[in-house]
Amino acid sequence: MAEATFKDVPELFEVELGEALTARTESLATFRELGPPDLCHVVKSTGKSGQREAGLLSLGSYHFVSGVDASSSASLAAYINSLTYAIEDNIAWFSKPAAWKVRNGCYCCFNAFSRVDVRVDVKIPGGVHPYVIDLRGERHEATPEIWQETYISALLRAILYSDDPNYYLDAYRKLDPITTPEGELRFLQTAEALFDKGWQVGSDPEIQVASIVSNHLTAGIMKYFGDSGRYQPAANLFEKIAAREPEVASLLARAYIGMNEEVKAVQIMSNAMKETPQSHTLLHVQCDFLRSKGRLEWALKLARQAVNCAPSEFVTWEKLTDLYIDLGQYESALLTLNSCPMFTFNGRDMHRSLPPSKVHLPFHRAIGEILPEKTKTEDDEADPALLRLPAPGLRGTWARAYSLLTRLVSQIGWDELLKTRSSVFVMEEEYRMQKAQADIHKPASATNTVNGNENGVVDGKNVPGGGGGGIVIYEDGSVSASASNRDSRRGHVGDDDNASTRAMLSPSTPNGPQSTLTVGEGEESSQQVPVIPTIRVSTESDRATREQEQDDQNTLVGPSSTENAQHVASGIEEVKENGVQGEERGSKSERDVGKSQVHELERPVQAAAPAGPGGEEKGGSVADVPPSPGAAEPFSFSNKRLCERWLDNLFMVLYEDLRVWTIFRAEVAHFKTQHVAYRKTGLEWEILGDLGLRLHHREEAKEAYQRCLDTSRYSSKPWLKLMQMYAEEGDIQRTIQTAIRVAAYQYAEYTEMTFPTHIARSFFKLGQLHGHAKIKYTLLSMGLPDPIKKIMESFSDYGAVFKVEGSDF
């Protein structure tokens, strides 16, 4: 069976002939957006075409591919035909065995617009038979419209999946989607014809609803032309479409800003605002332009308007939070971040994995000889404390929200962030103490009612000291009188269903207008508190309130490390469903890797969470923690919010990151003072480099990645991250040195494409500073082997063919 393999093409051999095609047909209904990469299935045989002993003489294999021209059945058949020349030659001493030949093949390409699978059956010798398979598995004829949609779908997958580090498939071959200016022109013409249907292919996970300007089609166009800095073709396309679709003016303005045509971009934005004043994408383009000019206050007004125009979109709240951080309004930034709508993360469409009978992954020896051996060593092991960090598993809106939180802590520090958090959110410690005080005064309620006193209302129960009935203080600060009986109050419950917080407070008492409770360092003060406002988390019924009180008594536990681990595991449960992978990754009960001199980070106090389904209090099972520094302030919840549970979970994720990073930096400092070498495995250095980037410690992250290169770990990530850093710094020598390794890793993983890739983006960034000629001469001076030199020169050749900025000097 070894003779039935291709020379340079990866393959997965089937257990049963045709099972890959059957599995794809059954999975069609699960493809939500762009669909998975194309599937190429071939059948090889040693017998003659007339023989029927398929079980003995035929083998089925398949691989995944992107970048193949899917504009017609002829182009797909040509790809299968090219595989007939890729079978390895059989070499024998005495006799030549029967040669394996490709007898037939099937190329499958998903049409993301019509939600069908276009397939081309090729028989060798024989003919070509194209057809369409719908979601029910029925066959239809392929029309020209179907082929047009299939062509653009295949291009978008090749562009958007080209450098996605989270999208991995075995035997996935990536080819250049566009190799000539004529092919680029056809791409633009097809995109113009299908632009109005772009919303049908879906959008990025951060976009709630795909629109004509926010979808995978516009994202693919902007990525393809933006990565090379060639915005002129995109601007020409958007000019034509903006004439009939005014909302496209936001994309047109962005293209002109990319071309440094700022005056024209401002004119376009000004005219477009008169036609579409409610377009949040247009407001965001103006906002970004003003931020680049330092007009943050003006940009803030536009960001607020964008939130009003699209309050259900995550990106509008994200932009507003960013601006608050820029302006130093950190409390407003936290409140805005807390208001972000979070969406369940749906990853890219994947093939259903099948257990293969054999895996053939050929290795390019001439290219891969500069790489370490692809074998598992001790450098692929890491400390469990590093492996369990939950932040790397965040995806979609969760990852974007976490990046805002890390940016916030990088500017104001962890302690100040906790103080800001406790000043804007109701802390659980405060909530529990108020609830305990309210319980103390409940028995007195019945006595005062018998005496004829007029009482206020706290959680639907009479409280002494009220004058003419209690009052209700709402989240926005407004005040209204409560009814004197339960039935009349119950009639207004519907008005309060959407409220996240209701503070019930009786009028002032003889002791003063406001009574306070002072909390010392870990213990409560004994001041008299006649009336304390109580948060009613749910307004459904008094039964829900009583259930909450019982839950509070049952779930308050001590701060043992095991219970803390259970708390974090349960607190991160919701985030796990939307991107955090692994089990109990946020646990604090990890081994103590720090030194005695390490300053321990203050653990974030749990915030009181909004009510869950059925009035059950979220976060009720939180382990007991010491009171926050802000707990000594007087209780006044009318100007505080309830922290969303997902944001509370992100604080715990951030705490774990900062704790590990603090221990790591303290260890480094300790070993330096002792003049002892600080050793870690390759995987540990890589994780610490990622951690440094997440926490915005760029130089320390660079040092960690450089230390990772000294190990024998087989990984392209440290090379890739260093290449991007050196390119941003304009270091041409180091960028090329790291790019050579990245290219070798890419070709070892069958990424046989030039653009769009990380290497091309870094090269074109250098080309704008130094010119492509200097890059070429630097490559020549390195004396690289011919296969690697040819790969590296392909990036400069692409720049010359498509006239990328810097290719002419």
Side-chain angles (χ1 to χ4, degrees):
M1 195 168 115
E3 304 88 15
T5 57
F6 293 125
K7 290 179 183 176
D8 299 324
V9 179
E11 290 180 281
L12 301 174
F13 284 86
E14 296 177 313
V15 176
E16 295 182 8
L17 193 64
E19 64 179 0
L21 295 175
T22 304
R24 183 178 174 98
T25 303
E26 294 172 351
S27 303
L28 287 179
T30 65
F31 299 157
R32 295 178 302 272
E33 295 185 345
L34 280 178
D38 302 345
L39 172 70
C40 182
H41 178 270
V42 296
V43 177
K44 304 168 194 170
S45 175
T46 56
K48 298 180 180 178
S49 58
Q51 292 180 333
R52 297 297 182 185
E53 301 177 20
L56 297 175
L57 299 175
S58 298
L59 287 174
S61 69
Y62 60 95
H63 64 274
F64 307 108
V65 62
S66 62
V68 177
D69 182 6
S71 59
S72 66
S73 59
S75 58
L76 298 182
Y79 176 78
I80 293 179
N81 186 61
S82 67
L83 298 178
T84 62
Y85 305 102
I87 294 184
E88 289 183 332
D89 295 329
N90 298 319
I91 301 175
W93 284 100
F94 303 105
S95 63
K96 186 175 182 180
W100 288 91
K101 294 184 179 179
V102 176
R103 294 302 180 190
N104 57 70
C106 181
Y107 193 99
C108 309
C109 187
F110 186 70
N111 182 332
F113 292 88
S114 300
R115 322 303 300 169
V116 295
D117 205 32
V118 177
R119 300 186 180 180
V120 177
D121 279 342
V122 180
K123 298 189 182 299
I124 304 174
V128 177
H129 176 54
Y131 58 94
V132 173
I133 299 289
D134 62 16
L135 301 183
R136 296 183 298 274
E138 299 174 357
R139 289 198 179 198
H140 302 277
E141 185 180 352
T143 62
E145 292 78 14
I146 291 290
W147 278 115
Q148 188 181 49
E149 294 172 353
T150 306
Y151 166 71
I152 203 73
S153 299
L155 273 180
L156 291 178
R157 283 191 292 270
I159 293 171
L160 295 176
Y161 295 3
S162 62
D163 50 8
D164 187 347
N166 299 316
Y167 192 82
Y168 178 80
L169 284 172
D170 283 327
Y172 182 15
R173 191 182 184 195
K174 299 178 184 178
L175 305 176
D176 274 313
I178 299 173
T179 57
T180 62
E182 292 76 18
E184 183 180 281
L185 180 60
R186 185 170 58 171
F187 168 51
L188 289 169
Q189 291 172 345
T190 311
E192 181 183 357
L194 296 174
F195 198 88
D196 294 338
K197 295 182 179 180
W199 60 272
Q200 296 178 7
V201 300
S203 61
D204 291 335
E206 296 82 16
I207 305 297
Q208 171 78 335
V209 180
S211 65
I212 195 170
V213 294
S214 300
N215 55 65
H216 286 310
L217 177 57
T218 56
I221 294 171
M222 293 302 290
K223 178 181 179 181
Y224 179 80
F225 292 104
D227 284 359
S228 59
R230 298 183 302 116
Y231 285 99
Q232 185 64 57
N236 295 338
L237 170 65
F238 296 142
E239 282 273 14
K240 300 174 187 176
I241 301 171
R244 66 176 190 270
E245 291 290 346
E247 286 190 31
V248 181
S250 61
L251 298 173
L252 179 59
R254 194 179 303 167
Y256 275 118
I257 291 174
M259 296 163 55
N260 293 322
E261 296 279 354
E262 294 181 347
V263 175
K264 196 165 186 177
V266 170
Q267 293 172 348
I268 290 170
M269 290 186 287
S270 175
N271 295 330
M273 282 302 297
K274 299 173 185 176
E275 296 186 38
T276 57
Q278 300 298 316
S279 172
H280 72 275
T281 54
L282 186 59
L283 290 167
H284 277 184
V285 175
Q286 297 181 68
C287 187
D288 292 336
F289 178 71
L290 290 172
R291 286 179 72 186
S292 67
K293 301 301 179 184
R295 300 285 187 173
L296 299 179
E297 291 290 346
W298 294 2
L300 180 63
K301 294 179 181 178
L302 291 172
R304 285 174 178 165
Q305 181 63 23
V307 168
N308 293 332
C309 295
S312 63
E313 288 291 346
F314 171 83
V315 290
T316 57
W317 294 93
E318 179 191 34
K319 186 74 68 179
L320 183 57
T321 306
D322 245 341
L323 279 164
Y324 277 131
I325 296 175
D326 288 343
L327 289 166
Q329 300 179 20
Y330 303 120
E331 291 188 358
S332 298
L334 263 186
L335 287 171
T336 307
L337 181 60
N338 189 58
S339 302
C340 287
M342 308 300 285
F343 315 136
T344 300
F345 175 74
N346 292 319
R348 301 197 187 276
D349 295 324
M350 299 280 286
H351 278 280
R352 195 177 78 191
S353 59
L354 298 172
S357 63
K358 177 188 174 183
V359 178
H360 173 61
L361 301 176
F363 187 68
H364 294 267
R365 179 57 57 188
I367 298 172
E369 62 185 4
I370 64 174
L371 302 178
E373 290 294 328
K374 196 175 182 180
T375 55
K376 188 174 180 63
T377 63
E378 61 179 10
D379 281 309
D380 294 309
E381 300 174 357
D383 189 280
L386 295 175
L387 293 174
R388 284 200 299 265
L389 286 176
L394 295 171
R395 299 285 183 271
T397 52
W398 316 94
R400 298 269 286 265
Y402 184 71
S403 67
L404 291 173
L405 203 57
T406 56
R407 183 169 174 240
L408 193 57
V409 77
S410 70
Q411 292 198 9
I412 65 176
W414 176 245
D415 293 337
E416 189 63 31
L417 178 61
L418 289 185
K419 292 178 183 178
T420 306
R421 174 175 174 252
S422 62
S423 67
V424 298
F425 295 134
V426 179
M427 295 292 101
E428 190 184 3
E429 180 72 13
E430 300 169 340
Y431 175 63
R432 286 204 307 262
M433 293 177 64
Q434 254 190 269
K435 215 147 179 52
Q437 289 294 328
D439 291 341
I440 293 173
H441 296 283
K442 281 177 184 176
S445 175
T447 305
N448 287 325
T449 303
V450 173
N451 294 335
N453 293 336
E454 290 182 310
N455 301 319
V457 178
V458 177
D459 267 358
K461 298 177 177 59
N462 292 330
V463 175
I471 60 172
V472 181
I473 302 178
Y474 292 96
E475 186 178 4
D476 57 0
S478 59
V479 180
S480 65
S482 62
S484 59
N485 58 68
R486 172 174 293 186
D487 294 335
S488 60
R489 184 179 62 84
R490 191 173 291 171
H492 296 282
V493 169
D495 299 335
D496 296 344
D497 281 345
N498 294 330
S500 61
T501 306
R502 290 292 180 266
M504 300 286 186
L505 178 63
S506 69
S508 60
T509 63
N511 291 334
Q514 288 186 351
S515 299
T516 62
L517 179 68
T518 304
V519 181
E521 189 66 24
E523 62 179 6
E524 299 180 7
S525 174
S526 59
Q527 292 185 16
Q528 268 195 335
V529 187
V531 178
I532 298 178
T534 301
I535 297 296
R536 189 202 310 168
V537 182
S538 176
T539 58
E540 289 185 27
S541 63
D542 292 335
R543 178 184 59 80
T545 305
R546 288 193 296 271
E547 290 176 356
Q548 288 179 5
E549 295 167 3
Q550 294 174 1
D551 290 341
D552 288 342
Q553 294 174 1
N554 294 334
T555 56
L556 294 182
V557 294
S560 66
S561 62
T562 304
E563 289 161 338
N564 280 340
Q566 294 172 353
H567 147 54
V568 180
S570 62
I572 289 181
E573 180 180 1
E574 180 180 343
V575 183
K576 281 183 181 178
E577 296 173 359
N578 298 277
V580 176
Q581 301 168 350
E583 188 172 354
E584 294 184 6
R585 299 174 66 180
S587 173
K588 188 178 183 299
S589 59
E590 300 160 349
R591 72 176 186 85
D592 184 15
V593 295
K595 305 297 178 185
S596 59
Q597 71 271 22
V598 178
H599 173 67
E600 187 69 27
L601 286 174
E602 180 185 352
R603 187 181 180 87
V605 180
Q606 181 78 9
E616 191 176 78
E617 179 183 336
K618 288 187 180 180
S621 60
V622 178
D624 199 3
V625 289
S628 64
E633 299 175 358
F635 285 120
S636 177
F637 290 159
S638 60
N639 59 348
K640 283 193 175 187
R641 300 285 183 88
L642 290 179
C643 182
E644 293 290 341
R645 185 171 183 178
W646 63 263
L647 182 55
D648 218 28
N649 294 336
L650 289 187
F651 270 99
M652 298 305 301
V653 173
L654 179 59
Y655 169 74
E656 289 299 320
D657 271 359
L658 288 171
R659 187 179 65 84
V660 171
W661 182 257
T662 304
I663 292 172
F664 161 63
R665 295 310 301 171
E667 286 180 343
V668 170
H670 173 73
F671 276 81
K672 281 184 178 179
T673 57
Q674 300 296 323
H675 303 287
V676 180
Y678 185 60
R679 301 187 184 280
K680 291 280 187 184
T681 67
L683 180 56
E684 287 175 339
W685 282 120
E686 187 176 307
I687 294 174
L688 290 169
D690 294 343
L691 178 59
L693 281 185
R694 283 200 304 273
L695 298 177
H696 303 277
H697 297 291
R698 183 183 178 86
E699 291 304 318
E700 292 88 346
K702 185 194 293 186
E703 180 185 354
Y705 286 131
Q706 289 169 341
R707 294 291 298 273
C708 182
L709 303 185
D710 298 333
T711 66
S712 59
R713 173 170 164 77
Y714 184 93
S715 175
S716 63
K717 179 183 282 188
W719 293 103
L720 175 61
K721 295 295 185 182
L722 287 173
M723 179 188 71
Q724 293 171 341
M725 292 179 183
Y726 293 144
E728 291 175 5
E729 297 168 1
D731 191 333
I732 187 170
Q733 190 77 23
R734 290 183 177 178
T735 302
I736 293 176
Q737 289 173 348
T738 51
I740 291 171
R741 297 303 196 285
V742 176
Y745 275 108
Q746 285 188 355
Y747 270 75
E749 298 294 335
Y750 315 105
T751 302
E752 306 167 30
M753 63 187 304
T754 303
F755 184 82
T757 58
H758 291 294
I759 302 176
R761 192 181 303 118
S762 298
F763 269 37
F764 296 156
K765 191 176 295 183
L766 282 178
Q768 294 174 358
L769 297 174
H770 304 284
H772 288 207
K774 187 174 182 180
I775 297 176
K776 272 189 174 182
Y777 296 141
T778 306
L779 282 171
L780 286 173
S781 65
M782 290 183 174
L784 301 173
D786 286 340
I788 298 176
K789 179 182 175 185
K790 185 177 179 182
I791 293 173
M792 301 309 296
E793 287 179 344
S794 66
F795 299 102
S796 298
D797 294 341
Y798 178 93
V801 170
F802 289 93
K803 296 181 174 56
V804 177
E805 183 180 355
S807 61
D808 53 349
F809 67 91

